[in-house]
Amino acid sequence: MTVTVERALHATGLLAVFNAAGVLTLADVHIAQRVAVLGGETDENVHLAIALTVRALRMGSVCVELATARSTTAADEGVDVSTLPWPSPEAWHDACARSPVVGVPGRPLRLVNGLLYLDRYWREEELVRRQLQSRAAAPPLPVSLPALENDLDRLFESGAGKQRLAAAVCALRRVTVLAGGPGTGKTTTIARMLAVLCAQSSAPPRIALAAPTGKAAARLEEAVRSVTGLGLPPLEASTLHRLLGRRPGSRTRFKHHRAHRLPYDVVVVDETSMVSLTMTARLIEAVRPDARLILVGDPDQLASVEAGAVLGDIVAADGCPEPALAAALESLGSPADVVNGVVTLDRTWRFGGDIARLATAVRAGDADAVVSLLRSGSSQVEFVESADCPELRAEVLAALAQVASAAAAGDAPAALKALEAHRLLCAHRHGPYGVARWTNEIEQWLPADHPADLRPLLITANDYDNHLYNGDTGVVIQTPQGLRAAFARGGETVLIPPSRLSEAQPLYAMTVHRSQGSQFDRVSLVLPPATSPLLTRELFYTAVTRAQSGLRIVGSEDAVRAAVTRPIARASGLRESLGVPAV
């Protein structure tokens, strides 16, 4: 297969070879060359290690493991990287260890336990590790166990063992991780956890709800408010950027930090799988040491677009013993074997049947079971091995007709509800299997009398003036005042003149990444060929679990098998370091 790469004209040695093979980009090579020149490093093996560390960040990892780089590095377009002239792991490690650009503070890279980091990311990972361990080792929170047991019995029905355990852990521990797939009752559990904390406090605790995207924040707020009868105060959710206080011109520094902490007693973050290492570091240092932090999410979904997979690392890590927590949980009649404050909900309430079985098989990496279910003739799951799918066209047009009908009538809630009836998802943005191609295709499908102005919208960049965020979806509707773009906000609808929207595009299809935090009645997923590097287990699982009642997979069996058997491997040291006692 021919590889098209952007050549670094002045690259030499290993950098030139790996660039030509499609492993390293022009930017990887230039950064490595610049660091080497500034640090006086002449060893081409170290040059390669620097470039691969930069590349790792592009691929979502926070570091590169030198000993396994040959087997874990994937080149573009299916190049066989095993034939490249890789340095021997031992000599490579030694060369990096003695390099003038690696080591002590002030140098651009760190080598720790065979993992090579850019210094900034090592410091962020260390900050997260230290914060998590110090909060776990801090003196127990003042909790009356008899009163806590009464509150747990009052707020949780029999059979809600995992939910009850999560509430107990968040009352007893400063950091709690509530994990679970879609439909397992995470947001309902959040509401009851907060009710327990309110009952345990002499004064109402100050509570913050947040999520990485505006769409996820709106869903969190709406879901918590929908759980009635708990006596919770009215709660509003915000994006993490808004919670921390964004600074114009900076994506990594905020108003709230270790010297100016957040004022809240409880901070809840939903969809934590989408939160990068950098944002996690900024968040955890801004939360007061005596406050409770509750991280919620699905570790099997796609991780952050930026580097890091903190939620997955915490859930998978070994933990240090916490005798006080174990004793308290045992006295409450709850399981005492909680590690790193993680409680995983494993009962699905929102959807069941073949969609749930398919999600379980995907998560387990069982390609045979996945293919067998797809070919079973299920009424919930449809498998189409051809892009020419009349059923897909008919469903897309029917859904858009319902949206347009409600929009023409000026019924914003009905239009927004119709928008959630079906969603076409793609792995790619561009190319023959991407969002751009399918958007053009669907626009050609629309009948001549379809109202062009009354269309679904996707916000593609944060719009702080209008309180809209990247990934938000809405519908242009007809009102007595003219056209307005309708968006859902915490159970309510806001209307904005379309002329005020600076970054919006028609929504006929969207990437799986953008769909995170959303649910649709039915989903159609277009798979790229099996050779696509974007085709992973996490992407497939995320798409499958967006559907509530119906799922259509459009693609080949080879693509399905490739997705199920190709988990994302994000290198980091957090998973291992969390299990080592702090010194």
Side-chain angles (χ1 to χ4, degrees):
M1 181 178 295
T2 302
V3 181
T4 302
V5 296
E6 192 172 4
R7 299 292 294 270
L9 299 180
H10 300 291
T12 59
L14 292 176
L15 291 180
V17 173
F18 279 70
N19 172 228
V23 176
L24 301 177
T25 66
L26 187 65
D28 300 334
V29 172
H30 284 178
I31 293 173
Q33 289 175 322
R34 186 63 175 165
V35 169
V37 169
L38 293 176
E41 176 57 74
T42 59
D43 190 331
E44 66 174 336
N45 290 328
V46 179
H47 297 175
L48 176 62
I50 299 170
L52 289 174
T53 304
V54 176
R55 178 189 185 276
L57 295 171
R58 280 195 299 106
M59 306 302 289
S61 295
V62 298
C63 58
V64 62
E65 184 174 9
L66 297 175
T68 61
R70 177 172 182 161
S71 60
T72 58
T73 299
D76 297 335
E77 307 294 341
V79 171
D80 182 6
V81 299
S82 65
T83 62
L84 296 174
W86 293 89
S88 69
E90 296 80 8
W92 205 7
H93 180 280
D94 291 345
C96 290
R98 63 176 179 265
S99 172
V101 300
V102 178
V104 299
R107 295 183 181 179
L109 291 101
R110 293 287 187 111
L111 180 62
V112 181
N113 297 325
L115 304 175
L116 188 63
Y117 299 78
L118 291 185
D119 181 69
R120 168 194 153 185
Y121 290 91
W122 177 82
R123 286 186 283 108
E124 290 175 346
E125 188 175 276
E126 274 292 283
L127 186 154
V128 171
R129 178 191 66 79
R130 289 196 308 270
Q131 287 282 341
L132 290 174
Q133 290 188 332
S134 65
R135 291 168 192 253
L141 291 162
V143 174
S144 167
L145 292 179
L148 176 59
E149 186 170 18
N150 288 336
D151 291 331
L152 293 172
D153 291 341
R154 174 174 57 87
L155 289 164
F156 292 91
E157 301 174 354
S158 60
K162 290 290 186 70
Q163 288 88 345
R164 187 180 191 275
L165 174 61
V169 171
C170 86
L172 296 165
R173 203 175 188 274
R174 286 170 173 79
V175 180
T176 304
V177 177
L178 181 63
T184 53
K186 295 191 295 294
T187 48
T188 301
T189 304
I190 291 170
R192 296 189 183 277
M193 291 165 74
L194 295 177
V196 168
L197 296 180
C198 288
Q200 287 287 304
S201 303
S202 56
R206 292 165 293 182
I207 299 171
L209 303 179
T213 67
K215 183 74 169 179
R219 286 185 174 275
L220 172 62
E221 179 181 322
E222 184 176 359
V224 170
R225 287 187 176 186
S226 69
V227 184
T228 58
L230 300 180
L232 290 175
L235 297 172
E236 295 185 358
S238 70
T239 64
L240 282 172
H241 282 80
R242 185 179 175 191
L243 174 72
L244 293 174
R246 70 182 184 94
R247 287 183 175 177
S250 175
R251 297 176 59 193
T252 60
R253 293 295 169 183
F254 301 93
K255 173 184 174 183
H256 292 285
H257 46 76
R258 71 183 71 188
H260 183 208
R261 309 271 190 174
L262 289 163
Y264 301 103
D265 304 301
V266 182
V267 177
V268 180
V269 181
D270 198 12
E271 297 292 348
T272 311
S273 66
M274 300 166 63
V275 182
S276 68
L277 172 65
T278 296
M279 182 58 80
T280 304
R282 298 291 80 81
L283 169 70
I284 201 167
E285 70 175 352
V287 174
R288 297 197 330 261
D290 60 335
R292 290 176 171 88
L293 176 62
I294 302 172
L295 304 176
V296 186
D298 184 353
D300 294 310
Q301 285 189 28
L302 283 165
S304 164
V305 174
E306 298 177 15
V310 177
L311 180 68
D313 285 340
I314 297 174
V315 171
D318 293 331
C320 299
E322 297 181 44
L325 175 66
L329 290 174
E330 190 172 349
S331 72
L332 294 169
S334 296
D337 55 345
V338 173
V339 176
N340 295 322
V342 177
V343 179
T344 301
L345 306 181
D346 50 16
R347 180 176 178 182
T348 301
W349 302 89
R350 185 180 298 156
F351 55 78
D354 288 336
I355 293 178
R357 282 187 281 273
L358 182 65
T360 299
V362 172
R363 192 170 60 241
D366 189 342
D368 289 339
V370 169
V371 172
S372 176
L373 204 157
L374 290 177
R375 295 192 180 283
S376 67
S378 165
S379 59
Q380 279 192 321
V381 179
E382 179 185 358
F383 185 34
V384 180
E385 295 184 85
S386 170
D388 183 17
C389 179
E391 295 81 6
L392 172 60
R393 176 171 176 163
E395 185 161 21
V396 167
L397 290 177
L400 290 175
Q402 289 183 348
V403 172
S405 176
D411 191 341
L416 291 170
K417 183 178 179 180
L419 185 61
E420 308 296 297
H422 176 265
R423 186 60 48 86
L424 177 61
L425 301 180
C426 305
H428 292 217
R429 291 176 186 267
H430 304 288
Y433 304 92
V435 169
R437 177 257 169 160
W438 280 97
T439 295
N440 291 333
E441 187 95 0
I442 292 168
E443 287 176 338
Q444 298 300 315
W445 292 348
L446 293 173
D449 60 350
H450 186 86
D453 291 336
L454 307 180
R455 63 185 185 276
L457 293 177
L458 173 68
I459 301 300
T460 57
N462 291 339
D463 181 351
Y464 296 101
D465 292 337
N466 289 313
H467 303 291
L468 296 175
Y469 302 93
N470 190 354
D472 283 355
T473 58
V475 180
V476 178
I477 67 170
Q478 185 68 58
T479 75
Q481 294 75 36
L483 296 179
R484 293 293 185 269
F487 297 89
R489 273 289 170 267
E492 300 179 353
T493 303
V494 297
L495 300 179
I496 301 171
S499 60
R500 289 178 53 191
L501 302 178
S502 58
E503 299 290 344
Q505 65 185 36
L507 171 62
Y508 298 120
M510 72 192 310
T511 62
V512 178
H513 273 90
R514 285 193 187 274
S515 75
Q516 284 185 270
S518 299
Q519 288 289 314
F520 312 104
D521 184 37
R522 292 182 54 80
V523 166
S524 295
L525 170 65
V526 176
L527 293 178
T531 54
S532 168
L534 296 182
L535 193 57
T536 64
R537 181 185 301 168
E538 289 79 4
L539 180 136
F540 195 38
Y541 172 81
T542 300
V544 166
T545 53
R546 299 311 91 199
Q548 294 178 288
S549 65
L551 175 69
R552 177 185 293 111
I553 306 296
V554 181
S556 67
E557 180 178 327
D558 286 345
V560 170
R561 290 184 177 276
V564 175
T565 57
R566 187 187 293 154
I568 295 174
R570 290 199 165 188
S572 84
L574 184 60
R575 185 173 303 190
E576 287 71 29
S577 64
L578 274 178
V580 179
V583 294

